[in-house]
Amino acid sequence: MSAYSLASISFVLFTLAAAGFLTSGNLVRMLMFLELMLNAANVALVALGPQPASQAYTVMLFAVAAAEAGIGLALIITLSCAFKTLEPENIKELKG
Amino acid sequence: MIQAAVWFFGAVAAMATLLMIFQRNLVKSALLMLAALLATAALYLALSAQMLAVLQIILYAGAIMILFVVALTVMPCALRDRASRSVFLKVLGLAAAAVILTELLNVSGALKGFLRPVDFSETGTLPLARELFGRFAFQFELLSLVIITAIVAATALALHRRRA
């Protein structure tokens, strides 16, 4: 299988997730699409990288994704309590 | 056979992500995301990365999805998702995504000559462990700092919310 085909699968996944991120108007949904973008990057790494090393990098990226989801959701819950909304257009001030 | 599996699971993941874009219900979106993550795990399996497929199911499809579902239950406003963005902004977002895809495919045109064997082979956990605890030991240990920082930050945010 050509490396270009494998790369194009991950690029399509990344672009669909990026399209969702750019068009959604909800913070939780945006975080979900961000996770899927990172997931697509992981697929590219596994498909195209040198085998044991790229898998080791992907294991590390799994942990980064988990940390990102934890902090992101904690921030979103705090924002939703403060502003009573999850639409980024309605959150206009960041004074603590 | 393996090649067909790679295309099939890639298409399933792409379809689930596409359906997520048009799904307004957040719980159904989360289920579609779960389908995309499971299809990616199958893709890892087809690419002979068995350990990653297992970790993908445990970490992404298990832990992270549970985190999302719990967050949805504690935020009632999350379930009231309105199509608030203007059509112009949505078209702009889709155009930006199309530009990203075109550029990525253009840049990776140099890969057309390279072949990547996709025959099913057993990639043991031993070589992976040798990499993680040998060459990448420092980076792997630094990762624990990232996770500790994330736990402390999430706890601090939760305490701040309780005080407020």
Side-chain angles (χ1 to χ4, degrees), chain A residues 32, chain B residues 25-35 65 68-69 72:
Chain A
M32 281 180 181
Chain B
N25 189 331
L26 261 174
V27 178
K28 286 180 185 168
S29 281
L31 288 177
L32 283 168
M33 184 185 170
L34 180 65
M65 278 313 299
F68 272 108
V69 172
L72 287 179

Side-chain angles (χ1 to χ4, degrees), chain A residues 1 3-4 11 13 15-16 22-23 29 39 42-43 46-47 51 53 56 62 65 80-81 86-87 89, chain B residues 7 14 20-21 23-24 29 40 44 52 56 60 75 78 81-82 85 90 97 101 108 114 116 128 135 161:
Chain A
M1 193 169 185
Y4 183 73
F11 291 161
L13 287 177
T15 310
L16 285 171
L22 290 170
T23 56
R29 194 187 291 273
N39 193 42
N42 284 346
V43 171
V46 173
Q51 263 323 302
F62 280 168
S80 78
C81 285
L86 280 176
E87 293 166 20
E89 291 157 5
Chain B
W7 282 114
M20 256 183 90
I21 297 176
Q23 182 58 251
R24 294 252 61 85
S29 281
T40 313
Y44 285 144
L52 288 187
Q56 170 90 3
Y60 261 107
M75 286 186 290
D81 183 26
R82 295 196 310 270
R85 286 215 158 173
K90 284 196 169 179
L101 180 62
S108 62
F114 292 96
R116 200 263 193 205
L128 188 58
R135 195 151 58 117
R161 189 164 63 92

Side-chain angles (χ1 to χ4, degrees), chain B residues 43-126:
Chain B
L43 196 61
Y44 285 144
L45 208 56
L47 290 170
S48 303
Q50 293 91 352
M51 183 69 188
L52 288 187
V54 172
L55 283 177
Q56 170 90 3
I57 291 172
I58 293 173
L59 266 176
Y60 261 107
I64 294 179
M65 278 313 299
I66 290 293
L67 212 56
F68 272 108
V69 172
V70 168
L72 287 179
T73 55
V74 298
M75 286 186 290
C77 55
L79 301 172
R80 294 191 304 268
D81 183 26
R82 295 196 310 270
S84 60
R85 286 215 158 173
S86 69
V87 177
F88 174 70
L89 281 179
K90 284 196 169 179
V91 171
L92 204 64
L94 287 175
V99 169
I100 290 172
L101 180 62
T102 314
E103 282 301 316
L104 282 174
L105 289 176
N106 270 339
V107 167
S108 62
L111 289 173
K112 274 180 183 165
F114 292 96
L115 282 177
R116 200 263 193 205
V118 287
D119 297 331
F120 195 76
S121 62
E122 216 175 288
T123 314
T125 48
L126 198 58

